[in-house]
Amino acid sequence: MASNNSYPKLHNATWPGVVGKGAADSEPIIPLDTLLKLTAGAQAGGQKFDGVDLWLADPHISIDSSRDDIKRVCDHIAGFGLEVGSFVAPIWGGAGGGSAMGDADDVKRFLSQVEKACRIGQWMRDIGIRPSGGIRVDSSTGVEAWDQDPEGNTRKIADTFREAGKIAQAHGEFIVAEGEICWGGMHSWRENVKLLEMVGMPGIVGYQADMAHSMLFVLGANAEKDRILPPDFNWADKAALDEAYKKVADALRPWTLDFHVAQNDGTTFGSGDHEKTGRHCQVDDPNGRLDVVKHAGYWLRDEKGELTKTMRHICWDGCMFPNAVMESQETWNKVLGQMVQVRDAHGWRE
């Protein structure tokens, strides 16, 4: 049966074809075209994906693309019947950026990548293929380096994010910072709130809530003082998980401008050159700790249970799945089915 809700739009992510891939000891990168075909080919109860969120780095889409390059990309994506949403800006040192708490040169490179991403975003909106979405960043630094001067380093990251926010504003864009246990200054729920408050640009510099990464905050991975659940937590205690996860969502929801539906088995994992972070797992993984539809509501509804309608689209994120899983159409049919359930439960009609 078709859903009654038309919003939020349902997007698939393309960066899982790149993250943790391509290194000598890793699986090969999955081409953008393969991911577009699989996304466009997915079906669940008569529903299709509405769009894709993009990785703005080679070999998918170069951050240094010209306007003509972007026009060609847009025409190509539109040929699959898909729109475009949020971007991942390649702000890391290895991708041409630098640490948000680094020296002047690091920060300059970081902000240059943000500016290029904002420019591409503006072009895509002008072309008409991109009705919603922000520019995704992180602190581009590890927890160990941040920990050498927590207060000073958070201040530096906030200064960099504030400059990024000004760049975004000038292009009609907004910044979404994705907290994960691997990013210094963003590795706990409390540190994320502190950082965003310090930036002080609500609606322009906000939080990108990935259900899987944000759940790890309840375990205090890399931030023991901010742990909510005990080290010997029994996952059968669903009520305790709900309470802990709601505490995280309540703290970060007011800042949340972008949302990733995901599943998590409560362990950490890294592949390629990606530091350990929350392990995304398949939507029907028996070890998945989240009730995806229920817990999505913690982010898409306010503390009174009312729809926030902040996110015009939501995206599935499944980083570091094996290529055999990623390249199976059935994987995306199942993911889409779960996304439709989220929209049925927490969506609206326009």
Side-chain angles (χ1 to χ4, degrees):
M1 189 174 75
S3 166
N4 289 323
N5 294 329
S6 53
Y7 284 89
K9 298 300 182 185
L10 308 180
H11 286 206
N12 197 10
T14 59
W15 55 84
V18 184
V19 174
K21 313 283 183 187
D25 59 346
S26 307
E27 292 190 299
I29 285 169
I30 300 173
L32 177 61
D33 251 25
T34 303
L35 296 163
L36 291 172
K37 285 172 189 160
L38 289 162
T39 302
Q43 291 194 53
Q47 302 285 304
K48 308 276 284 175
F49 276 110
D50 299 299
V52 284
D53 286 8
L54 297 174
W55 173 263
L56 290 189
D58 294 321
H60 277 193
I61 299 168
S62 171
I63 191 69
D64 294 308
S65 295
S66 68
R67 189 173 185 126
D68 285 346
D69 293 335
I70 293 304
K71 178 71 170 72
R72 280 192 291 275
V73 167
C74 290
D75 288 346
H76 188 62
I77 293 172
F80 288 93
L82 298 167
E83 291 181 331
V84 173
S86 301
F87 299 158
V88 174
I91 42 75
W92 314 280
S99 167
M101 63 175 217
D103 61 21
D105 195 45
D106 269 321
V107 171
K108 185 179 177 184
R109 290 197 309 271
F110 182 106
L111 294 174
S112 171
Q113 298 293 74
V114 168
E115 184 157 25
K116 291 172 186 176
C118 288
R119 190 162 60 230
I120 290 171
Q122 190 171 22
W123 288 341
M124 285 196 177
R125 280 187 290 105
D126 290 346
I127 288 164
I129 198 170
R130 185 168 172 261
S132 63
I135 310 293
R136 183 257 184 224
V137 301
D138 56 59
S139 61
S140 183
T141 196
V143 180
E144 218 171 291
W146 171 87
D147 210 25
Q148 290 165 18
D149 178 13
E151 293 301 320
N153 284 330
T154 291
R155 203 171 301 111
K156 285 180 186 173
I157 296 165
D159 289 346
T160 303
F161 281 12
R162 201 176 302 113
E163 290 305 310
K166 290 174 188 172
I167 292 166
Q169 247 181 327
H171 289 82
E173 294 289 330
F174 60 93
I175 302 292
V176 289
E178 185 182 28
E180 297 186 38
I181 61 167
C182 62
W183 302 127
M186 308 181 72
H187 56 289
S188 90
W189 59 283
R190 280 206 179 100
E191 293 300 339
N192 275 291
V193 172
K194 190 188 296 183
L195 175 63
L196 291 164
E197 285 177 346
M198 201 177 284
V199 175
M201 296 182 77
I204 300 297
V205 179
Y207 185 64
Q208 184 182 69
D210 176 291
M211 288 178 68
H213 294 313
S214 299
M215 192 203 80
L216 272 236
F217 292 151
V218 305
L219 303 176
N222 285 345
E224 189 61 33
K225 67 182 172 59
D226 294 336
R227 171 191 282 280
I228 302 173
L229 294 174
D232 57 351
F233 177 65
N234 177 3
W235 289 101
D237 189 347
K238 306 287 189 193
L241 173 61
D242 288 353
E243 187 180 350
Y245 196 44
K246 189 169 186 305
K247 186 173 184 175
V248 167
D250 284 349
L252 283 161
R253 188 191 314 106
W255 292 96
T256 300
L257 301 175
D258 205 56
F259 182 64
H260 290 167
V261 177
Q263 181 56 285
N264 189 324
D265 65 6
T267 64
T268 59
F269 172 71
S271 72
D273 59 1
H274 197 281
E275 270 195 75
K276 286 197 172 177
T277 187
R279 184 194 277 271
H280 288 106
C281 57
Q282 289 189 64
V283 71
D284 57 350
D285 189 316
N287 295 316
R289 302 303 188 185
L290 291 166
D291 178 333
V292 173
V293 176
K294 176 182 178 178
H295 290 135
Y298 290 11
W299 299 98
L300 300 174
R301 294 178 180 273
D302 65 19
E303 63 282 357
K304 295 175 184 167
E306 301 293 326
L307 292 173
T308 69
K309 299 188 181 179
T310 304
M311 274 66 74
R312 304 286 295 172
H313 82 270
I314 57 177
C315 181
W316 170 263
D317 192 347
C319 276
M320 295 182 278
F321 285 176
N323 284 10
V325 171
M326 292 278 298
E327 292 170 352
S328 162
Q329 188 65 65
E330 185 54 29
T331 296
W332 305 111
N333 294 342
K334 287 190 290 191
V335 164
L336 178 58
Q338 188 85 99
M339 297 278 283
V340 169
Q341 286 181 44
V342 169
R343 182 163 69 185
D344 284 348
H346 310 296
W348 66 96
R349 187 152 195 87
E350 287 185 13

